[in-house]
Amino acid sequence: MQSILELRHLKTLHALREAGNLLRAATLLNVTQSALSHQIKQLEDHHGSSLFERKSVPVRFTPAGERLLKLADAVLPQVAESERDLVRMAQGVAGQLRIAVECHTCFDWLMPAMDIFRKRWPEVELDIVSGFQADPVGLLYEHKADVAIVAEIDQDEKVDYHPLFSFEIVALLAHDHPLATREFLVAEDFATDTLITYPVPDDMLDVVRQVLKPAGITTDRRTTELTVAMLQLVASRRGIGTLPIWAAQNYLNRDYVLSKRITPTGLIGKLYAACLPEASEKPYLADFVNTTRESCYLNLLNVELL
């Protein structure tokens, strides 16, 4: 029997299992949902069997689908490893990735992504530049870092910006806070309260840069290095905190504090991996970006790929 199986089919089924539904799988693979559905329909028509139950959430595969997934699990890692080996043979990849971050919550997702990358590229020295960096891009020019995780693109900088993901930032309130019954908060709601944040400049806070400053609102600030300390201050009515929803989720699950959307449409933050143009040419840099995007999309709450 002649096979129509291609690597893209195996990648589609693998992404469908990891992402849980067709829409998220299509986003992960950067294709349209209709294109993904067409691929699966081809396989089902050819083999005369459905591959997954259409109405199951999360997706549940049939025996035929499970058999192809078994093949994908065996083949895809070998293909990826072989491609990395070919790059090593052609270019040599011994090098280093020193990562500088400007956000305190980056470590929640950066460490798992680094663990995956380290297994794929064991010969690349991977490290985090110590401490919070107020100007991580500046470290690129000083050759003290190879990658900077940043929240904004500066068109004046002569660096490459690789999109990572976007995420929602929520306000955190005590259960008995006067704003606890609100559906969402607006800039004016912060004016008479204390904003509890990490110790970073105003222009590095999305809530200040995107919401408060455009509305001409200023507020008292209280800072802390630790997320748990921020949540304790919020719970004891010392002010309002703001965090990515995935960074606060454990506390929300325990009903320790309340979360409220900021503005009717939500406050959205974005993250990019910045590097000098010559670093963009290194194959392991591209794989680091892809690994980070995929890991965060699959494992963080309310994350969308840029």
Side-chain angles (χ1 to χ4, degrees), residues 90-137:
Q91 303 179 21
V93 292
Q96 61 181 359
L97 275 183
R98 295 163 299 171
I99 306 167
V101 299
E102 68 174 15
C103 63
H104 287 71
T105 56
C106 285
F107 297 102
D108 292 350
W109 54 263
L110 182 57
M111 301 303 287
M114 289 175 64
D115 288 341
I116 297 171
F117 177 85
R118 192 176 288 110
K119 294 176 182 177
R120 295 178 178 176
W121 299 92
E123 67 277 35
V124 176
E125 183 181 345
L126 198 59
D127 198 8
I128 297 177
V129 179
S130 297
F132 167 79
Q133 304 297 329
D135 182 22
V137 172

